[in-house]
Amino acid sequence: MDVNDLNPAPGAASRLWRGLGGLAFGGDYNPEQWPAETRAEDLRLMAEAKVNLVTVGVFAWARVEPVRDAYDFSYFEKVLDDLHAHGITADLATMTASPPPWLVHEHPEILPVTAEGAVLGPGGRQHFCPSSPVYRERAAMLAERLATHFRDHPALGLWHVGNEYGCHIAACYCEVSAAAFRRWLRERYDDVDALNDAWSTDFWSQRYASFDHVRPPALAPTFPNPAQQLDYMRFSDQELRACFEAEASVLRRVTPGVPVTTNFLGGLKSVDVFEWAPGLDVAAVDCYADPHDERPHLAPGLVYDTIRGSRGGEPWILMEQAPSAVNWRARNAVKQPGRMRLWSWQAVAHGADAVMFFQWRQSRGGAEKFHSGMVPHAGADSRVYREIAALGQELASVPGLLGTRVRNQVAILLDWNSWWALELDSHPSAGVRQAERLLDHYGPLHDLGVGVDVVPPSADLGAYALVVAPNLYLLSTEDAERLTSYVAGGGALVVSFFSGIVDQHDRVHLGGYPAPLREVLGVRVEEFCPAAEHETFAVRGCGALEGAEGVADLWREDLQLTGAEPEFVFDSADWAGRPAVTRHEFGAGVARYLSTRLDETGMRAVLGRAVAEAGVRPALQGLPAGVEAAVRSGDGGTFLILLNHTGDKHEVRLDGEWTDALDPADARVSTVALPPAGVAVLRAG
Ligand code: GAL
């Protein structure tokens, strides 16, 4: 592989967007599951629904290479011809997400092995060991043949490599993986004593005399070495990325102008999106809101803000969402009327230039036949299809949105290394889970009407008025210094408990927690005091937050103040008056510390004050609770998108001059009436 082939092709993504001419709309298209006649109806319905981009061939390896080397792309050539004839662009998959039966038959060693030592068989999908040279080689060969075959096809607009890397197989524990891990460690540490030092192997007699003696952290009698586990997560992520790169480099060599992407699974822990994203031409994510959630739009919002943050605010692709229900939860809720539209516009409001679904036509057989489709089992005469077609038409009516950007003043920090380390076993509390703790911060900011970029600690923080670091357990000294200088230079920082605790090898920063942030936060902690499962603690605001109330749980710390002032104190009998949340003026900025988990009321009070002090302005003042507003602006104009996440009607008064971008008459609007789950898209001027 030539390393130059790993770099995204400049301008490749813009060619895709220019070709589409407006927001992309479509989904996974799997015509191979259907008789040939169905395609005519598909194409007619796609035209009606204004579909302009479809993902083709994700699980088609066994069809295009039914036995070794017997490549036959004629079926998909016809599909792409038909798509092109209907003005639809293909996001052509490299078809490598599910190895075909012949490959497993000839090379059973490609099958993944669990930490418990079980071999995972074929019959599902993603049944390959990420380190398998055989899998990588056969996948790259297929990508090469495919790219060579389709390089000049006019329908080809985007390459879709693999599918949701890491979704089913985050890591493999086979002997091939073990050998690859040893090679990876040799490269990383060079000297085995450096590894001993990094892994603290004098603990429990784990000192290695040679790299050859190292094994993956498979099932062990008790907690396997945490630093070894952490390195295994890094290694496994990089092995998955190497699978992607093996294919992407072929595509970039054979079709240099065609953009390359892969679809991340939103909220997935095993794949470090921030490390992968620079190697794509455009970021794409799959996100499956759970309509049974109390606030089903929050977790997807966080996913969208992360994917946008992964490429510096560039437009991104919502590659998959469900038209209605999924089939893989224990109880699969449908999207009630209007919700699919609302949540699709939510993605656009968070910067998506493509709204796509899994999948076009609901399967008749196979493991996903009860997963909704844009064309359901009932056919086009159905609520789901009607809502889909209406959404496609609506999105097509606002081409000016294409390429416009969301700009936010607040960043939430997320670091995959810290996530991996935070959730290792043998910790003070098993309750500190990254995804939930992120939402503890994200939800109240959302309620305050404040848009957020989710970025890594290494991002350019100077661009933000407020930076929030939820439970950033692993923090390098350099990143801690960056946070410190950010505050010294006038920034506002909010840090939550169990942050800045360990270095990159999961070794504790000494001298009182959170050692590398003590100076900027003006606090010192000697001991963590995790709460029992249902234990709660009353807290109350003080100083500028006098009168504010809240309830805390999960975690407490006996905070010593070394410069900070309390903003919230505990109000429970045992800890009355001890600081729970603090504020520290440091240099030209302010740093807050939350030593406990506050409920939403408490969080809104603390973050509300931080937001106000930092001069952060919501997109629109005075919005009714549950109504979200977002602004996108750029060459195509300035757009205000209003989303009513509630089941009630609301009225929103606007300042300035706006027209209704969804109204063909371009009506001027000063007040917007939003029905339950309603959406409004307004253009400035
Ligand atoms: C995604 C996957 C699709 C489909 C979908 C169902 O994770 O990429 O192929 O399985 O889930 O929700």
Side-chain angles (χ1 to χ4, degrees):
M1 183 199 312
D2 181 340
V3 285
N4 292 324
D5 294 332
L6 288 182
N7 298 327
S14 352
R15 264 195 291 276
L16 166 73
W17 298 124
R18 260 203 314 278
L20 291 167
L23 300 178
F25 182 68
D28 276 33
Y29 182 39
N30 299 308
E32 66 276 19
Q33 297 176 11
W34 295 94
E37 313 81 76
T38 312
R39 198 144 79 236
E41 194 200 19
D42 287 339
L43 293 163
R44 182 176 64 71
L45 295 175
M46 283 183 190
E48 178 180 77
K50 302 271 188 224
V51 165
N52 58 0
L53 181 67
V54 292
T55 302
V56 178
V58 178
F59 299 103
W61 191 342
R63 186 174 264 262
V64 298
E65 193 186 3
V67 293
R68 169 181 289 273
D69 295 337
Y71 297 102
D72 178 359
F73 299 117
S74 53
Y75 178 82
F76 286 100
E77 192 173 329
K78 186 80 188 63
V79 171
L80 260 65
D81 290 349
D82 286 350
L83 290 171
H84 181 63
H86 287 76
I88 299 170
T89 299
D91 163 34
L92 186 55
T94 55
M95 310 188 175
T96 53
S98 189
W102 66 263
L103 182 54
V104 179
H105 177 73
E106 288 180 26
H107 290 281
E109 76 278 10
I110 72 164
L111 292 172
V113 174
T114 66
E116 293 78 16
V119 178
L120 299 177
R125 61 178 176 183
Q126 224 176 70
H127 44 282
F128 60 86
C129 157
S131 302
S132 162
V134 174
Y135 168 76
R136 274 193 214 172
E137 190 196 350
R138 293 307 309 188
M141 280 172 75
L142 173 54
E144 173 116 31
R145 297 298 288 259
L146 198 65
T148 309
H149 189 94
F150 287 102
R151 76 206 309 169
D152 296 320
H153 199 290
L156 174 63
L158 176 64
W159 284 115
H160 181 292
V161 179
N163 191 64
E164 290 185 348
Y165 282 100
C167 157
H168 304 303
I169 304 297
C172 170
Y173 295 79
C174 73
E175 287 306 320
V176 172
S177 303
F181 184 45
R182 287 189 281 272
R183 283 194 297 277
W184 185 87
L185 291 171
R186 267 203 183 89
E187 237 173 67
R188 191 175 170 90
Y189 293 105
D190 191 32
D191 170 12
V192 76
D193 279 337
L195 176 135
N196 282 314
D197 186 41
W199 287 10
S200 308
T201 55
D202 279 315
F203 186 79
W204 283 353
S205 177
Q206 294 171 359
R207 205 169 176 86
Y208 292 100
S210 158
F211 282 108
D212 293 340
H213 303 164
V214 182
R215 304 185 56 77
L219 191 64
T222 182
F223 311 123
N225 181 312
Q228 181 182 5
Q229 291 192 59
L230 180 56
D231 266 350
Y232 208 64
M233 290 188 245
R234 292 177 173 131
F235 158 79
S236 301
D237 176 40
Q238 288 176 26
E239 290 295 272
L240 287 167
R241 184 140 49 95
C243 292
F244 163 79
E245 286 169 353
E247 296 183 33
S249 61
V250 167
L251 302 174
R252 291 198 166 115
R253 173 165 47 75
V254 182
T255 54
V258 181
V260 174
T261 194
T262 185
N263 51 336
F264 297 116
L265 175 57
L268 185 71
K269 177 178 164 185
S270 53
V271 162
D272 183 344
V273 168
F274 294 142
E275 284 292 321
W276 286 57
L280 312 178
D281 292 287
V282 54
V285 74
D286 301 349
C287 189
Y288 288 91
D290 185 351
H292 275 154
D293 276 356
E294 205 182 315
R295 303 179 76 197
H297 58 289
L298 280 189
L302 187 66
V303 165
Y304 301 157
D305 296 340
T306 308
I307 203 76
R308 193 184 62 251
S310 74
R311 287 185 57 88
E314 275 179 14
W316 50 276
I317 296 176
L318 175 58
M319 190 64 93
E320 294 180 19
Q321 59 171 333
S324 187
V326 301
N327 71 316
W328 40 261
R329 293 192 170 105
R331 286 153 211 267
N332 300 292
V334 300
K335 292 184 176 172
Q336 293 298 332
R339 295 282 155 177
M340 182 276 297
R341 171 181 182 242
L342 172 69
W343 294 334
S344 297
W345 276 107
Q346 182 197 358
V348 176
H350 288 242
D353 271 3
V355 174
M356 314 264 292
F357 295 83
F358 180 85
Q359 61 176 329
W360 168 251
R361 193 177 273 278
Q362 183 171 8
S363 297
R364 187 171 184 198
E368 291 186 326
K369 56 185 170 298
F370 294 118
H371 190 291
S372 57
M374 298 162 81
V375 183
H377 289 157
D381 183 10
S382 57
R383 171 182 81 86
V384 168
Y385 174 74
R386 276 189 287 275
E387 288 192 31
I388 287 285
L391 175 68
Q393 290 154 10
E394 192 170 78
L395 291 168
S397 72
V398 208
L401 268 167
L402 187 76
T404 56
R405 298 225 184 171
V406 176
R407 285 179 183 80
N408 289 319
Q409 294 173 278
V410 180
I412 286 187
L413 300 184
L414 169 61
D415 180 346
W416 254 264
N417 274 260
S418 182
W419 183 355
W420 295 332
L422 178 75
E423 296 186 358
L424 286 166
D425 42 36
S426 65
H427 276 196
S429 169
V432 192
R433 313 297 296 173
Q434 188 72 81
E436 293 160 15
R437 301 293 73 84
L438 280 166
L439 287 173
D440 289 345
H441 299 74
Y442 186 79
L445 285 168
H446 173 89
D447 295 343
L448 291 163
V450 168
V452 160
D453 290 352
V454 181
V455 295
S458 56
D460 174 15
L461 302 181
Y464 298 102
L466 173 66
V467 171
V468 179
N471 319 93
L472 195 57
Y473 165 72
L474 181 154
L475 188 66
S476 65
T477 321
E478 302 79 66
D479 282 343
E481 278 162 9
R482 299 182 73 248
L483 290 177
T484 305
S485 3
Y486 164 73
V487 178
L493 176 69
V494 175
V495 174
S496 286
F497 61 93
F498 214 37
S499 288
I501 303 303
V502 298
D503 69 7
Q504 63 272 31
H505 299 302
D506 199 41
R507 292 175 305 203
V508 171
H509 294 294
L510 299 177
Y513 315 116
L517 295 174
R518 270 196 330 253
E519 192 196 354
V520 66
L521 296 175
V523 299
R524 181 172 183 273
V525 177
E526 289 181 24
E527 267 188 308
F528 309 122
C529 309
E533 200 158 358
H534 299 294
E535 201 178 4
T536 57
F537 319 100
V539 287
R540 62 176 171 80
C542 53
L545 289 182
E546 189 72 50
E549 288 177 1
V551 177
D553 64 4
L554 188 64
W555 190 276
R556 286 191 299 182
E557 289 167 355
D558 189 5
L559 265 190
Q560 296 166 29
L561 304 187
T562 56
E565 304 277 333
E567 251 186 356
F568 255 91
V569 290
F570 288 100
D571 208 12
S572 51
D574 58 340
W575 277 41
R578 292 203 210 171
V581 177
T582 59
R583 177 179 181 279
H584 186 218
E585 290 180 10
F586 181 81
V590 176
R592 287 185 161 77
Y593 184 61
L594 290 90
S595 70
T596 186
R597 191 188 91 99
L598 291 185
D599 63 355
E600 284 183 7
T601 316
M603 282 302 263
R604 273 198 295 271
V606 173
L607 291 173
R609 178 122 179 87
V611 159
E613 267 187 8
V616 174
R617 294 168 55 83
L620 214 61
Q621 303 277 0
L623 277 178
V627 174
E628 180 181 356
V631 173
R632 287 185 56 157
S633 54
D635 291 348
T638 295
F639 294 86
L640 172 66
I641 302 176
L642 299 175
L643 307 162
N644 180 3
H645 293 292
T646 75
D648 302 317
K649 294 189 286 195
H650 287 291
E651 238 182 44
V652 177
R653 294 172 70 86
L654 306 173
D655 283 339
E657 307 254 290
W658 296 95
T659 52
D660 184 344
L662 300 180
D663 174 3
D666 264 354
R668 288 253 168 211
V669 218
S670 53
T671 304
V672 180
L674 289 168
V679 174
V681 183
L682 305 146
R683 189 188 289 105

